[in-house]
DNA sequence: TGCTTGACTTACG
DNA sequence: CCGTAAGCCAAGC
């Protein structure tokens, strides 16, 4: 199983209203957090990357600028333009 | 078949 | 807040 497919599968499994840090996906499949971000750039689209945010809650998806709106529309607590990681339990543990 | 480049996140001060 | 350093994977020729 390639890290690319693994990352894409995990990211595509993220339920609506929940976000996951790159490090969590990387740990889940056994790769570094950078590989997850690398795959995101390779696939570009076809995966809800907007639900994948940085460890700080900053959206790093290619949908930058619309991520806060998308997450907010799904019910994710937003701290300004960043996901409020200190508010509810919106972190999807997989 | 083998090698190189590019892209991306995380941690610390 | 910003900058720096480190490492890993994939694709192409």
């Amino acid at each position: 199983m390639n890290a690319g497919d693994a990352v894409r599968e995990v990211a595509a499994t993220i339920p609506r209203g929940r976000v996951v840090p790159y490090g969590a996906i990387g740990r889940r499949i056994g790769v570094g957090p950078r590989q997850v971000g690398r795959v995101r750039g390779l696939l570009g689209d076809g995966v809800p990357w907007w639900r994948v945010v940085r460890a700080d809650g900053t959206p790093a998806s290619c949908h930058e600028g619309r991520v806060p709106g998308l997450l907010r529309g799904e019910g994710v607590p937003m701290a300004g333009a960043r996901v409020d990681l200190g508010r509810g339990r919106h972190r999807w543990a997989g």
Side-chain angles (χ1 to χ4, degrees):
Chain A
M1 165 124 41
N2 293 351
D5 280 349
V7 173
R8 183 171 62 150
E9 202 176 332
V10 174
T13 307
I14 301 170
R16 157 174 148 357
R18 219 119 314 206
V19 296
V20 189
Y22 285 85
I25 298 175
R27 274 155 72 102
R28 197 149 155 62
I29 62 179
V31 302
R34 305 164 197 99
Q35 274 66 282
V36 181
R38 193 186 63 72
V39 174
R40 168 181 72 73
L42 290 173
L43 300 176
D45 261 336
V47 181
W49 295 119
W50 63 84
R51 292 190 242 206
V52 184
V53 298
R54 291 204 193 191
D56 307 342
T58 308
S61 297
C62 31
H63 307 75
E64 198 183 334
R66 307 206 151 129
V67 175
L70 289 162
L71 295 175
R72 197 197 252 310
E74 297 190 347
V76 178
M78 303 292 300
R82 190 161 1 190
V83 179
D84 197 341
L85 298 175
R87 271 296 195 187
R89 188 144 34 267
H90 39 311
R91 198 148 66 100
W92 182 63

